[in-house]
Amino acid sequence: MDRQTTETSTEIKPSVRVRFAPSPTGFLHIGGARTALFNWLFARSLGGKFFLRIEDTDLARSTDEAIAAILDGMRWLGLDWDQWGESDPVRQTTRFASYRAEALRLLDSGAAYRCDCTVEALDARRKEALAAGRPPRYDGRCRGRVISPDLPSVVRFAAPVSGVIEVDDLVKGPVSFAADAVDDMILLRSDGTPTYNFCVVIDDVDMEITHVIRGDDHLNNTPKQIQLYRALGRPVPRFAHLSMILGADRARLSKRHGATAVQVYRDEGFLPDAMVNYLVRLGWSHQNQELFTRAELVKAFSMDPVGASAAIFNPDKLLWVNAHYIKTGDPARLADLLLPHLERLGVKTNAVDPAHLSRILLALRERSRTLVEMAASAAYFFLDDVVPDEAAQKVLTAAARPILEQVRAALTDIPFEHDPLAVALKGIGESLGLKLAQVAQPIRAAVTGKTVSPGIFDVLELLGRTKTLARLDDALRQLPLQ
């Protein structure tokens, strides 16, 4: 992936700076991929910066394997990011010193305080509050107390207790929160580790993020973070909270609706451009256009058309989009993407001629919705032997013997090209009093092991004389005599 050089203090920074900030606890799922895509498009459409930040402060759940999976998914989708600082991408676990320094600054300014309430005491107060019908928020009893930093304690934010926090959300419109509903959240735990909302704000401040585009499951975090921005004396970025993605049953998209990780779709034969095109249409539109090139998306994208209603994930629509990209994509690039799927079927891909594969791909792509389907249809061109499937076995009966014997004899010396093959097979049909389809089907079953394929002349030309004759001989040896 291309990288821009690390930023320096003398660089002229663009007006738009966004980030995608996944937690590395699993694969890059569909919802996260769409969020990353909207951030990427917003930045690229305005000539801004798009940063990737790994929010790995949950040490118990974050793994290097998950980070690698996220990067793999981003690269597969073609969502390149800009470098910020020495770490690429940024990892929160490398920035603990910055979080602690900012927490101490808030302590010094009076915007934060130390709290030594025990977990047991806090649990008891929560239960009391719930029993009394009050929100189970911290009651602020350590505010104003002087607690030595040498004693076990957490650092809490002294949240304003009156007023209204207003958010002019780019997707949802104006949203208001009562300030007294925001808890005195913990900034640093008793072991000195920072908490999620605090890290997010410090990172966004240091990275000079101008727009925060994320899922609407983070909307409740927004008032907390706005208060922190203000306490730090820093500008509040614009927020845009994207709607959830739902399954056809209007339940939140989950594994029971099918694949949710982008790598699973890759393994199922979907193309990265098709995934990008489909994901961008989950909540965004442009003049009723359905299909976009990457360049068209960058040119057309803005947050204005992004809808606030939940998006419905439709697997059939994704298949339709993918089929379009297979039919119209560059054959050489598609051939390269097809190789791993052929390899899974036992094809020795290191011996595959790219030009030959591209010709096969052109013959197959009108019938293929995914690369997995295409690979299944293409494998017989490369394997040494084929095993007829159940449908093909029903064609390869004693009645097929005279057809295959004449075909075997006719194909020995003629050029293996479309027109001579057509003349020969049509002539055999006339001599036997059969239509071309009646001649073609037993040939197809014998040489491909299937009853569905591209036109038989194209199949034979692409398969070549040697493999065609060998498979006809093999079929004839196994056919009953009568």
Side-chain angles (χ1 to χ4, degrees):
M1 177 178 296
D2 292 337
R3 286 286 181 269
Q4 298 188 13
T5 56
T6 303
E7 295 182 70
T8 65
S9 59
T10 60
E11 181 184 2
I12 299 175
K13 296 180 173 61
S15 58
V16 168
R17 298 167 70 89
V18 296
R19 54 31 172 213
F20 174 54
S23 297
T25 56
F27 289 91
L28 179 64
H29 55 80
I30 289 296
R34 183 187 63 161
T35 299
L37 174 60
F38 278 33
N39 275 280
W40 184 87
L41 285 171
F42 187 68
R44 298 294 180 249
S45 67
L46 296 172
K49 295 281 189 175
F50 169 67
F51 302 115
L52 177 60
R53 186 171 76 217
I54 304 298
E55 299 192 337
D56 56 348
T57 54
D58 186 345
L59 300 179
R61 299 177 62 216
S62 299
T63 67
D64 289 340
E65 291 77 11
I67 294 175
I70 291 169
L71 300 187
D72 181 48
M74 293 284 287
R75 292 183 178 115
W76 181 69
L77 290 170
L79 303 182
D80 59 319
W81 58 89
D82 299 293
Q83 184 171 336
W84 183 86
E86 296 180 0
S87 175
D88 183 30
V90 183
R91 292 182 62 165
Q92 286 185 329
T93 47
T94 67
R95 291 179 39 77
F96 277 11
S98 297
Y99 306 140
R100 289 168 185 152
E102 290 299 329
L104 292 176
R105 192 162 75 84
L106 289 174
L107 278 170
D108 292 340
S109 70
Y113 60 93
R114 295 188 182 276
C115 169
D116 62 1
C117 296
T118 65
V119 173
E120 294 75 16
L122 292 172
D123 286 342
R125 287 179 219 152
R126 287 193 190 95
K127 292 176 182 177
E128 291 175 5
L130 289 170
R134 300 191 307 272
R137 62 194 301 272
Y138 182 67
D139 58 10
R141 68 179 58 197
C142 285
R143 284 196 185 206
R145 291 182 57 207
V146 177
I147 299 173
S148 171
D150 296 329
L151 297 176
S153 63
V154 301
V155 175
R156 286 186 181 273
F157 177 60
V161 295
S162 62
V164 175
I165 305 167
E166 296 182 346
V167 183
D168 185 15
D169 195 277
L170 293 173
V171 175
K172 296 184 173 297
V175 184
S176 298
F177 301 87
D180 61 4
V182 179
D183 206 350
D184 284 6
M185 58 181 160
I186 295 174
L187 306 181
L188 295 182
R189 302 179 183 90
S190 58
D191 63 0
T193 58
T195 57
Y196 169 77
N197 278 301
F198 185 49
C199 294
V200 167
V201 171
I202 301 306
D203 288 341
D204 286 346
V205 164
D206 288 351
M207 299 173 81
E208 300 181 89
I209 298 301
T210 61
H211 296 74
V212 175
I213 304 170
R214 58 190 180 185
D216 64 3
D217 53 331
H218 287 284
L219 183 60
N220 289 336
N221 289 323
T222 303
K224 305 173 186 177
Q225 293 170 4
I226 287 176
Q227 288 185 335
L228 279 173
Y229 283 111
R230 291 172 177 167
L232 292 164
R234 301 304 295 266
V236 178
R238 295 297 306 275
F239 289 93
H241 289 90
L242 306 176
S243 64
M244 289 193 300
I245 300 176
L246 306 180
D249 57 359
R250 303 197 71 81
R252 187 165 186 170
L253 195 66
S254 65
K255 290 182 179 179
R256 68 187 178 87
H257 295 104
T260 58
V262 297
Q263 284 94 334
V264 175
Y265 286 96
R266 176 191 62 194
D267 294 343
E268 290 181 350
F270 289 87
L271 303 177
D273 286 341
M275 286 300 301
V276 164
N277 198 142
Y278 182 74
L279 288 175
V280 79
R281 294 287 286 114
L282 292 177
W284 178 83
S285 61
H286 177 70
Q287 299 178 354
N288 296 319
Q289 186 173 345
E290 287 283 351
L291 300 167
F292 300 82
T293 65
R294 191 78 58 124
E296 287 173 336
L297 282 177
V298 170
K299 183 178 179 180
F301 189 82
S302 77
M303 292 301 298
D304 293 340
V306 177
S309 301
I312 305 298
F313 189 86
N314 183 342
D316 292 333
K317 183 64 173 292
L318 174 58
L319 275 172
W320 176 81
V321 174
N322 201 60
H324 165 80
Y325 278 88
I326 286 176
K327 290 174 184 177
T328 61
D330 173 53
R333 180 168 183 268
L334 289 175
D336 187 55
L337 293 172
L338 185 63
L339 289 174
H341 301 284
L342 286 171
E343 193 165 349
R344 293 189 190 103
L345 297 177
V347 175
K348 297 176 181 178
T349 55
N350 59 342
V352 171
D353 175 35
H356 187 218
L357 179 56
S358 292
R359 291 175 61 207
I360 292 170
L361 185 148
L362 288 172
L364 295 173
R365 65 183 186 175
E366 290 293 328
R367 300 169 178 265
S368 303
R369 297 177 302 170
T370 69
L371 293 178
V372 166
E373 290 181 0
M374 182 178 285
S377 299
Y380 59 76
F381 287 106
F382 303 102
L383 297 174
D384 293 332
D385 302 297
V386 295
V387 177
D389 61 22
E390 185 176 350
Q393 290 175 18
K394 293 179 180 179
V395 175
L396 295 172
T397 64
R401 176 173 288 279
I403 299 172
L404 296 185
E405 286 177 341
Q406 287 203 36
V407 169
R408 173 66 175 82
L411 299 186
T412 303
D413 298 319
I414 67 169
F416 247 68
E417 298 171 358
H418 182 282
D419 291 347
L421 289 166
V423 171
L425 297 191
K426 288 176 182 178
I428 291 170
E430 292 172 359
S431 68
L432 295 173
L434 300 174
K435 295 179 180 180
L436 177 60
Q438 293 173 296
V439 174
Q441 197 65 339
I443 302 172
R444 179 178 289 110
V447 301
T448 72
K450 303 176 183 296
T451 56
V452 177
S453 77
I456 192 62
F457 312 135
D458 294 327
V459 168
L460 295 178
E461 182 178 0
L462 290 168
L463 192 60
R465 187 191 312 275
T466 301
K467 282 188 176 179
T468 296
L469 296 183
R471 291 179 187 180
L472 289 173
D473 289 342
D474 189 52
L476 286 167
R477 280 193 296 270
Q478 298 181 55
L479 283 179
L481 295 176
Q482 295 182 357

mmCIF file of all heavy atoms in Angstrom, residues 416-436:
data_model
loop_
_atom_site.group_PDB
_atom_site.id
_atom_site.type_symbol
_atom_site.label_atom_id
_atom_site.label_comp_id
_atom_site.label_asym_id
_atom_site.label_seq_id
_atom_site.Cartn_x
_atom_site.Cartn_y
_atom_site.Cartn_z
ATOM 1 N N PHE A 416 -8.225 -27.046 -34.231
ATOM 2 C CA PHE A 416 -9.039 -26.870 -33.030
ATOM 3 C C PHE A 416 -9.380 -25.392 -32.862
ATOM 4 O O PHE A 416 -8.917 -24.717 -31.937
ATOM 5 C CB PHE A 416 -8.313 -27.433 -31.801
ATOM 6 C CG PHE A 416 -9.006 -28.631 -31.229
ATOM 7 C CD1 PHE A 416 -9.041 -29.828 -31.936
ATOM 8 C CD2 PHE A 416 -9.651 -28.571 -30.002
ATOM 9 C CE1 PHE A 416 -9.698 -30.943 -31.431
ATOM 10 C CE2 PHE A 416 -10.304 -29.673 -29.486
ATOM 11 C CZ PHE A 416 -10.340 -30.870 -30.197
ATOM 12 N N GLU A 417 -10.229 -24.937 -33.768
ATOM 13 C CA GLU A 417 -10.697 -23.563 -33.750
ATOM 14 C C GLU A 417 -12.202 -23.568 -33.920
ATOM 15 O O GLU A 417 -12.786 -24.552 -34.417
ATOM 16 C CB GLU A 417 -10.031 -22.757 -34.872
ATOM 17 C CG GLU A 417 -8.518 -22.674 -34.724
ATOM 18 C CD GLU A 417 -7.862 -22.053 -35.949
ATOM 19 O OE1 GLU A 417 -8.588 -21.733 -36.924
ATOM 20 O OE2 GLU A 417 -6.622 -21.923 -35.951
ATOM 21 N N HIS A 418 -12.837 -22.468 -33.532
ATOM 22 C CA HIS A 418 -14.289 -22.396 -33.458
ATOM 23 C C HIS A 418 -14.962 -22.856 -34.754
ATOM 24 O O HIS A 418 -15.822 -23.769 -34.743
ATOM 25 C CB HIS A 418 -14.711 -20.964 -33.116
ATOM 26 C CG HIS A 418 -16.199 -20.788 -32.959
ATOM 27 N ND1 HIS A 418 -17.059 -20.692 -34.035
ATOM 28 C CD2 HIS A 418 -16.979 -20.684 -31.841
ATOM 29 C CE1 HIS A 418 -18.289 -20.545 -33.612
ATOM 30 N NE2 HIS A 418 -18.274 -20.536 -32.278
ATOM 31 N N ASP A 419 -14.609 -22.262 -35.890
ATOM 32 C CA ASP A 419 -15.334 -22.536 -37.131
ATOM 33 C C ASP A 419 -15.151 -23.972 -37.631
ATOM 34 O O ASP A 419 -16.138 -24.649 -37.970
ATOM 35 C CB ASP A 419 -14.936 -21.529 -38.204
ATOM 36 C CG ASP A 419 -15.439 -20.129 -37.884
ATOM 37 O OD1 ASP A 419 -16.298 -20.001 -36.978
ATOM 38 O OD2 ASP A 419 -14.976 -19.168 -38.521
ATOM 39 N N PRO A 420 -13.917 -24.492 -37.688
ATOM 40 C CA PRO A 420 -13.778 -25.907 -38.106
ATOM 41 C C PRO A 420 -14.489 -26.870 -37.157
ATOM 42 O O PRO A 420 -15.070 -27.871 -37.606
ATOM 43 C CB PRO A 420 -12.269 -26.131 -38.087
ATOM 44 C CG PRO A 420 -11.680 -24.761 -38.269
ATOM 45 C CD PRO A 420 -12.609 -23.847 -37.553
ATOM 46 N N LEU A 421 -14.459 -26.589 -35.869
ATOM 47 C CA LEU A 421 -15.168 -27.436 -34.908
ATOM 48 C C LEU A 421 -16.665 -27.389 -35.157
ATOM 49 O O LEU A 421 -17.352 -28.420 -35.093
ATOM 50 C CB LEU A 421 -14.855 -26.975 -33.478
ATOM 51 C CG LEU A 421 -13.437 -27.265 -32.967
ATOM 52 C CD1 LEU A 421 -13.149 -26.479 -31.698
ATOM 53 C CD2 LEU A 421 -13.248 -28.758 -32.716
ATOM 54 N N ALA A 422 -17.188 -26.205 -35.460
ATOM 55 C CA ALA A 422 -18.617 -26.073 -35.720
ATOM 56 C C ALA A 422 -19.028 -26.871 -36.949
ATOM 57 O O ALA A 422 -20.050 -27.579 -36.959
ATOM 58 C CB ALA A 422 -18.969 -24.596 -35.897
ATOM 59 N N VAL A 423 -18.235 -26.783 -38.000
ATOM 60 C CA VAL A 423 -18.538 -27.522 -39.231
ATOM 61 C C VAL A 423 -18.545 -29.034 -38.962
ATOM 62 O O VAL A 423 -19.448 -29.763 -39.392
ATOM 63 C CB VAL A 423 -17.521 -27.167 -40.337
ATOM 64 C CG1 VAL A 423 -17.690 -28.102 -41.537
ATOM 65 C CG2 VAL A 423 -17.697 -25.713 -40.764
ATOM 66 N N ALA A 424 -17.548 -29.502 -38.209
ATOM 67 C CA ALA A 424 -17.428 -30.938 -37.953
ATOM 68 C C ALA A 424 -18.609 -31.454 -37.125
ATOM 69 O O ALA A 424 -19.205 -32.493 -37.465
ATOM 70 C CB ALA A 424 -16.111 -31.227 -37.229
ATOM 71 N N LEU A 425 -18.957 -30.753 -36.055
ATOM 72 C CA LEU A 425 -20.024 -31.244 -35.169
ATOM 73 C C LEU A 425 -21.383 -31.145 -35.846
ATOM 74 O O LEU A 425 -22.246 -32.021 -35.670
ATOM 75 C CB LEU A 425 -20.016 -30.475 -33.858
ATOM 76 C CG LEU A 425 -18.754 -30.621 -32.992
ATOM 77 C CD1 LEU A 425 -18.985 -30.036 -31.605
ATOM 78 C CD2 LEU A 425 -18.322 -32.072 -32.874
ATOM 79 N N LYS A 426 -21.600 -30.109 -36.617
ATOM 80 C CA LYS A 426 -22.870 -30.001 -37.332
ATOM 81 C C LYS A 426 -22.986 -31.119 -38.370
ATOM 82 O O LYS A 426 -24.067 -31.690 -38.584
ATOM 83 C CB LYS A 426 -22.978 -28.639 -38.001
ATOM 84 C CG LYS A 426 -23.203 -27.490 -37.017
ATOM 85 C CD LYS A 426 -23.196 -26.137 -37.715
ATOM 86 C CE LYS A 426 -23.377 -24.999 -36.707
ATOM 87 N NZ LYS A 426 -23.327 -23.661 -37.342
ATOM 88 N N GLY A 427 -21.865 -31.448 -39.002
ATOM 89 C CA GLY A 427 -21.871 -32.547 -39.977
ATOM 90 C C GLY A 427 -22.196 -33.876 -39.320
ATOM 91 O O GLY A 427 -22.935 -34.697 -39.887
ATOM 92 N N ILE A 428 -21.658 -34.109 -38.128
ATOM 93 C CA ILE A 428 -21.955 -35.347 -37.397
ATOM 94 C C ILE A 428 -23.441 -35.414 -37.066
ATOM 95 O O ILE A 428 -24.086 -36.465 -37.183
ATOM 96 C CB ILE A 428 -21.093 -35.447 -36.127
ATOM 97 C CG1 ILE A 428 -19.628 -35.662 -36.511
ATOM 98 C CG2 ILE A 428 -21.579 -36.556 -35.204
ATOM 99 C CD1 ILE A 428 -18.664 -35.547 -35.347
ATOM 100 N N GLY A 429 -23.998 -34.280 -36.633
ATOM 101 C CA GLY A 429 -25.426 -34.249 -36.334
ATOM 102 C C GLY A 429 -26.264 -34.601 -37.542
ATOM 103 O O GLY A 429 -27.233 -35.388 -37.443
ATOM 104 N N GLU A 430 -25.916 -34.064 -38.712
ATOM 105 C CA GLU A 430 -26.667 -34.352 -39.932
ATOM 106 C C GLU A 430 -26.556 -35.830 -40.314
ATOM 107 O O GLU A 430 -27.535 -36.456 -40.740
ATOM 108 C CB GLU A 430 -26.157 -33.470 -41.073
ATOM 109 C CG GLU A 430 -26.488 -31.987 -40.874
ATOM 110 C CD GLU A 430 -25.802 -31.113 -41.917
ATOM 111 O OE1 GLU A 430 -25.070 -31.663 -42.776
ATOM 112 O OE2 GLU A 430 -25.989 -29.879 -41.852
ATOM 113 N N SER A 431 -25.360 -36.404 -40.161
ATOM 114 C CA SER A 431 -25.178 -37.813 -40.526
ATOM 115 C C SER A 431 -25.966 -38.755 -39.619
ATOM 116 O O SER A 431 -26.375 -39.841 -40.043
ATOM 117 C CB SER A 431 -23.698 -38.181 -40.488
ATOM 118 O OG SER A 431 -23.202 -38.165 -39.154
ATOM 119 N N LEU A 432 -26.173 -38.324 -38.355
ATOM 120 C CA LEU A 432 -26.906 -39.155 -37.393
ATOM 121 C C LEU A 432 -28.367 -38.769 -37.280
ATOM 122 O O LEU A 432 -29.116 -39.403 -36.522
ATOM 123 C CB LEU A 432 -26.249 -39.053 -36.007
ATOM 124 C CG LEU A 432 -24.831 -39.609 -35.880
ATOM 125 C CD1 LEU A 432 -24.252 -39.297 -34.512
ATOM 126 C CD2 LEU A 432 -24.827 -41.115 -36.126
ATOM 127 N N GLY A 433 -28.781 -37.754 -38.019
ATOM 128 C CA GLY A 433 -30.156 -37.295 -37.944
ATOM 129 C C GLY A 433 -30.485 -36.631 -36.615
ATOM 130 O O GLY A 433 -31.609 -36.733 -36.115
ATOM 131 N N LEU A 434 -29.487 -35.939 -36.018
ATOM 132 C CA LEU A 434 -29.660 -35.300 -34.708
ATOM 133 C C LEU A 434 -29.456 -33.789 -34.817
ATOM 134 O O LEU A 434 -28.720 -33.308 -35.679
ATOM 135 C CB LEU A 434 -28.649 -35.868 -33.701
ATOM 136 C CG LEU A 434 -28.725 -37.366 -33.418
ATOM 137 C CD1 LEU A 434 -27.551 -37.776 -32.523
ATOM 138 C CD2 LEU A 434 -30.051 -37.741 -32.765
ATOM 139 N N LYS A 435 -30.120 -33.093 -33.925
ATOM 140 C CA LYS A 435 -29.879 -31.661 -33.817
ATOM 141 C C LYS A 435 -28.526 -31.431 -33.149
ATOM 142 O O LYS A 435 -28.001 -32.296 -32.451
ATOM 143 C CB LYS A 435 -30.983 -31.003 -32.994
ATOM 144 C CG LYS A 435 -32.363 -31.071 -33.639
ATOM 145 C CD LYS A 435 -33.395 -30.406 -32.743
ATOM 146 C CE LYS A 435 -34.787 -30.474 -33.379
ATOM 147 N NZ LYS A 435 -35.814 -29.839 -32.518
ATOM 148 N N LEU A 436 -27.975 -30.226 -33.346
ATOM 149 C CA LEU A 436 -26.667 -29.924 -32.776
ATOM 150 C C LEU A 436 -26.670 -30.084 -31.256
ATOM 151 O O LEU A 436 -25.698 -30.604 -30.687
ATOM 152 C CB LEU A 436 -26.240 -28.497 -33.147
ATOM 153 C CG LEU A 436 -24.907 -28.029 -32.555
ATOM 154 C CD1 LEU A 436 -23.761 -28.927 -33.028
ATOM 155 C CD2 LEU A 436 -24.634 -26.571 -32.926
#
